[in-house]
Amino acid sequence: MSSTQILVQEPLLVRLSPVSSYTTFTIYVKTNHPAFSVPKSSCRRKYSEFQWLRQILIRHHPYRNPPQLPPSVFFLNSKDEKFLEERRHGLQVFLRELIGVPCYLGEKAVHMFLQTELSTDCIEENIKGIRDDSVIKNAK
């Protein structure tokens, strides 16, 4: 029987300037599901990249409603541990629900998002056929 475990952990604050920052989370994937190219991987993603993935899924599957993401906030106290834990949990629920939908599990964007450090621009170019990156070569 195939199974896939997804954990979203380790929030990390990235400061761009004294007034600009964002938080990334590590996504851990452990699977024996045949849809995945590698059995174990990890990558870091920020919230806006999760939003990008959801928009890709809406565009590719307009008759499906992908899982919801936790709410977006414009101003955040990056030391607010309760908020970061709620966001981490919401992102983990989003990914777990996502891989439970067969049409999403077949999406190249989903696999590249979960199992590589490629930017969303590079993933988009792979979807369009401009690039041909491999999950196996880019998995971490």
Side-chain angles (χ1 to χ4, degrees), residues 52 56 59-60 108-109 112 118-133:
W52 170 87
I56 289 289
R59 192 167 66 212
H60 290 189
K108 187 173 191 173
M112 297 192 114
L118 292 172
S119 69
T120 55
D121 287 341
C122 288
I123 296 172
E124 188 93 43
E125 289 176 353
N126 274 275
I127 294 167
K128 292 176 180 175
I130 297 168
R131 293 175 61 123
D132 189 24
D133 293 299

Side-chain angles (χ1 to χ4, degrees), residues 8-13 23 25 76-90:
V8 176
Q9 298 181 327
E10 302 161 4
L12 176 68
L13 180 67
T23 302
F25 296 86
L76 165 67
N77 176 356
S78 58
K79 295 178 182 174
D80 184 345
E81 290 184 27
K82 182 177 183 246
F83 170 81
L84 289 175
E85 175 53 25
E86 288 172 359
R87 175 162 280 185
R88 182 210 63 76
H89 181 262

